[in-house]
Amino acid sequence: MTQRDGRITLFTRLITAPGAADPAPGSGPGPFARVRERARRAEAAGIDALLVHDRQSAAPDDAEAPYFEAGTLAAALAVGTTAVGLVASVSTQHALPYHAARILATVDHLAPGRAGWQPLIDADPEAAANYSRSGAVSESERRARAAEFVTVLTGLWDSFDDDAFLRDRESGVYFTPEKLHPLDHRGEYFDVAGPLNIGRPPQGHPVLVQRVRDADDLALAARVADVVLLPAQDGRDAAAVREALHAGAKEAGREAGDLAVLLDVPADGGPDTAGRIRALFASGAVDGFTLLAPAGPADAAHEAVLALVSELRAADTGGPSVPAGATLRARLDLPRPAGRHRTD
């Protein structure tokens, strides 16, 4: 939930790397059982959402290896957890919007209502080679493609009105054709006819989580993001960025409450880390934090995050509790977007 609710929002990246005590292949629970258990423990500790990392090439460091494809893993965890949000990474440079829209809508239905996604805009030459592409793509072009990617996804998720499927046995009316809307998008990077062949997601649109590194990222996030992730910095810088995001959101016709701002914080066991986090939150600089696991063995890194979460939640008594069955948007106190087509 955001500042006005008094409860600290906590995200963390789901660690999928093998643990030191993992059994040999074929001799015990597989790697998914390990990851599912980590997700369940994070959920029980009070994490609001897990960032499900992905990449489209081999990682030079085992700790950076995603191990599973993010959308597939999020779908599996949707039925293996009950409350935590599941934010899958999507490469806007290599994925196709229609495919991504179907995957994310499916996860949101399976969860239900706990799906999110994080567009990956960074360049990865090795990934480009895996997709039969050569030549460098400028950062401005990658960002423009990402912006259009978002436009297409949200349009596809609005293919059906919320009440398009009546499923009324007495009247015999299953579906209202007037509440189906083709997309017919023709853009610089994508031509997508639509409509999407799955009903509107429970959240309307899965939560869009964007990491901001510079002013251009900030401008895009102010227009389209629901949750903005900031790199570690001092509270004054975070507060200034939050104000800039709110101003940009208003210029784009949005409200300040349409987005939440989270700051990276290392869960490194430093002196009174929890106290510093609570003080920074109380100052109004940010709405919450992304807890970064320390370097080292996967199991120990996961435990360090859980220990910090437990300490924060133990003192987190000033805000409201999260209702059972809340969607990720409701958990974060973010508005549910109305469909772009209103057929009454």
Side-chain angles (χ1 to χ4, degrees):
M1 295 186 178
T2 53
Q3 268 288 342
R4 62 180 178 271
D5 302 292
R7 180 179 179 277
I8 303 176
T9 294
L10 297 176
F11 281 25
T12 194
R13 177 169 160 178
L14 179 61
I15 299 175
T16 58
D22 284 0
S27 63
F32 173 66
R34 171 196 71 233
V35 174
R36 180 179 58 196
E37 180 61 20
R38 287 177 184 160
R40 287 173 171 171
R41 292 190 63 204
E43 177 180 70
I47 284 288
D48 292 298
L50 294 167
L51 302 173
V52 184
H53 176 60
D54 206 355
R55 60 183 292 141
Q56 303 299 309
S57 63
D61 183 350
D62 286 344
E64 292 296 314
Y67 210 95
F68 295 104
E69 190 278 322
T72 307
L73 179 57
L77 292 174
V79 295
T81 57
T82 59
V84 71
L86 302 165
V87 181
S89 297
V90 176
S91 170
T92 56
Q93 188 64 27
H94 303 300
L96 292 177
Y98 195 91
H99 187 208
R102 292 188 72 228
I103 290 173
L104 294 166
T106 297
V107 174
D108 208 43
H109 280 286
L110 290 174
R114 292 184 285 121
W117 71 291
Q118 182 179 357
L120 299 183
I121 306 173
D122 294 350
D124 183 349
E126 294 178 351
N130 289 335
Y131 286 87
S132 302
R133 295 174 183 171
S134 59
V137 178
S138 69
E139 188 167 351
S140 61
E141 184 176 356
R142 293 197 306 274
R143 192 174 283 109
R145 180 185 172 97
E148 187 176 336
F149 198 102
V150 172
T151 298
V152 175
L153 256 65
T154 55
L156 287 170
W157 288 327
D158 290 342
S159 292
F160 294 94
D161 291 355
D162 287 320
D163 58 351
F165 294 93
L166 298 178
R167 300 181 177 91
D168 187 342
R169 291 187 177 184
E170 292 186 6
S171 66
V173 177
Y174 175 79
F175 165 68
T176 306
E178 293 79 11
K179 296 180 183 292
L180 168 64
H181 312 283
L183 181 62
D184 292 329
H185 175 87
R186 299 292 181 269
E188 182 177 359
Y189 300 98
F190 306 109
D191 290 344
V192 183
L196 195 65
N197 59 351
I198 183 172
R200 196 161 191 255
Q203 296 183 100
H205 303 160
V207 173
L208 197 169
V209 178
Q210 184 182 342
R211 179 163 291 282
V212 166
R213 302 161 302 166
D214 55 31
D216 289 329
D217 282 346
L218 188 147
L220 176 60
R223 296 200 315 270
V224 303
D226 298 304
V227 178
V228 179
L229 308 182
L230 304 181
Q233 52 195 295
D234 66 40
R236 290 173 301 174
D237 289 342
V241 173
R242 185 170 183 263
E243 290 178 4
L245 282 164
H246 286 174
K250 289 181 179 179
E251 289 179 5
R254 308 174 70 195
E255 298 295 330
D258 289 351
L259 53 81
V261 180
L262 310 186
L263 179 67
D264 289 349
V265 173
D268 55 7
D272 196 25
T273 301
R276 289 187 288 107
I277 288 175
R278 287 193 292 269
L280 186 54
F281 178 76
S283 75
V286 291
D287 300 296
F289 303 88
T290 304
L291 304 182
L292 306 180
D299 291 332
H302 183 65
E303 292 300 325
V305 172
L306 295 187
L308 180 54
V309 174
S310 297
E311 188 176 356
L312 288 168
R313 290 303 185 214
D316 194 9
T317 58
S321 60
V322 178
T327 67
L328 182 56
R329 285 186 176 277
R331 190 180 186 97
L332 304 178
D333 196 27
L334 295 172
R336 182 182 186 274
R340 64 181 65 183
H341 311 282
R342 300 301 295 268
T343 306
D344 299 321

